[in-house]
Amino acid sequence: MIEQVGDRAGGQLSVGVPPSWQYLFRSHFVEKLIDRYPSIALRVHEGASRVLREDMHAGMLDLANVRFEAASPNGYVNTRLVREPLVLVSHKDAQLFPEKSVPLSRLDKLKLALPGKPNVIRGHIENSLARKGLGFNNAFEVDAVTLSMDLARKSLSATVTPCCAVSGNPYLEDSVSWSPIRGMFITWALCENTARSHSPAVGEGRRLISQIVGEAVQGGKWIGADLFSYA
């Protein structure tokens, strides 16, 4: 059946993926798509949700995994995929554990490396700390996930990231420690260009995205994540 679908699912497919999805999703998606559907010409864009939304408005993307917003971009439909915790990441000896959440107060005046404004996670952390009368200390503005992790590993700062950036990642498990932040979550959606929904390549891409996300959550690799849809 896969071979039959692969034969007819040709054409172009342009997919947008956030940097934090690199380990749990991106490489698996590309590998499986190439293997199953060799006739599809795949293009992968990486960027923060804000950047991917700009690409969607410009008509550059067929599918994109972005932070969920109630209002879909013009010409796109939103499908909520997964909700996951935001996590605090620090050096290996910081006494942070995936199975043990920490309160928001753990971030009070903590030296952080977070993206510059506008950024959803940075704004969420800053505003949540302010509402509780706690101090926000963004020591470095860093728009690269890998650099934020490296700074955490070297004890130069901590960072806050979606759980998928670190959960089950063998490249990080021996160099950083991390914990979910109590009550702090992000919800991801799959946005699809309605003008391209008829394309077999887009249809197979959509199904494969849902499959890989579902397998990561249900297989326990994506700690603390809750699935909204699985196809």
Side-chain angles (χ1 to χ4, degrees):
M1 179 64 181
I2 286 177
E3 289 78 4
Q4 294 173 352
V5 173
D7 289 341
R8 68 173 183 266
Q12 303 284 330
L13 177 62
S14 183
V15 179
V17 184
S20 57
W21 284 45
Q22 178 179 353
Y23 173 71
L24 279 183
F25 174 81
R26 190 180 64 193
S27 60
H28 301 291
F29 174 77
V30 172
E31 180 181 0
K32 289 186 177 182
L33 188 96
I34 292 173
D35 179 59
R36 294 184 184 182
Y37 314 116
S39 297
I40 292 178
L42 175 65
R43 184 177 182 184
V44 178
H45 300 241
E46 182 182 279
S49 290
R50 172 179 55 84
V51 175
L52 294 179
R53 286 183 181 279
E54 291 172 359
D55 290 345
M56 285 191 289
H57 281 296
M60 296 170 58
L61 298 176
D62 301 317
L63 300 166
N65 298 316
V66 295
R67 184 183 63 88
F68 175 75
E69 293 182 356
S72 301
N74 188 38
Y76 283 77
V77 291
N78 262 341
T79 302
R80 288 190 298 177
L81 279 178
V82 63
R83 188 184 83 149
E84 65 169 331
L86 295 178
V87 302
L88 174 64
V89 183
S90 191
H91 58 90
K92 186 62 178 176
D93 298 323
Q95 298 297 302
L96 297 173
F97 306 99
E99 66 276 8
K100 185 177 180 182
S101 64
V102 296
L104 184 66
S105 59
R106 180 72 181 260
L107 278 65
D108 185 28
K109 302 180 182 64
L110 182 66
K111 185 187 293 186
L112 296 171
L114 295 175
K117 294 181 178 180
N119 177 267
V120 172
I121 293 176
R122 188 256 177 79
H124 192 23
I125 294 297
E126 187 172 3
N127 294 335
S128 297
L129 287 168
R131 285 195 296 269
K132 291 183 175 293
L134 302 174
F136 174 73
N137 178 16
N138 200 42
F140 306 104
E141 289 195 348
V142 178
D143 291 310
V145 172
T146 52
L147 178 56
S148 297
M149 295 298 176
D150 198 41
L151 293 172
R153 180 179 63 82
K154 295 178 178 179
S155 303
L156 296 175
S157 62
T159 192
V160 175
T161 184
C163 182
C164 61
V166 291
S167 184
N169 190 330
Y171 304 107
L172 294 174
E173 64 181 353
D174 293 326
S175 58
V176 299
S177 63
W178 60 275
S179 288
I181 304 169
R182 207 166 296 149
M184 304 290 280
F185 297 92
I186 185 170
T187 296
W188 298 102
L190 175 62
C191 276
E192 180 177 348
N193 186 340
T194 55
R196 292 273 292 148
S197 295
H198 66 281
S199 164
V202 174
E204 297 309 319
R206 182 201 322 118
R207 279 185 280 275
L208 187 56
I209 288 171
S210 295
Q211 177 189 332
I212 292 173
V213 169
E215 288 173 351
V217 174
Q218 296 176 339
K221 294 180 180 179
W222 201 331
I223 296 175
D226 294 313
L227 205 59
F228 283 101
S229 64
Y230 178 63

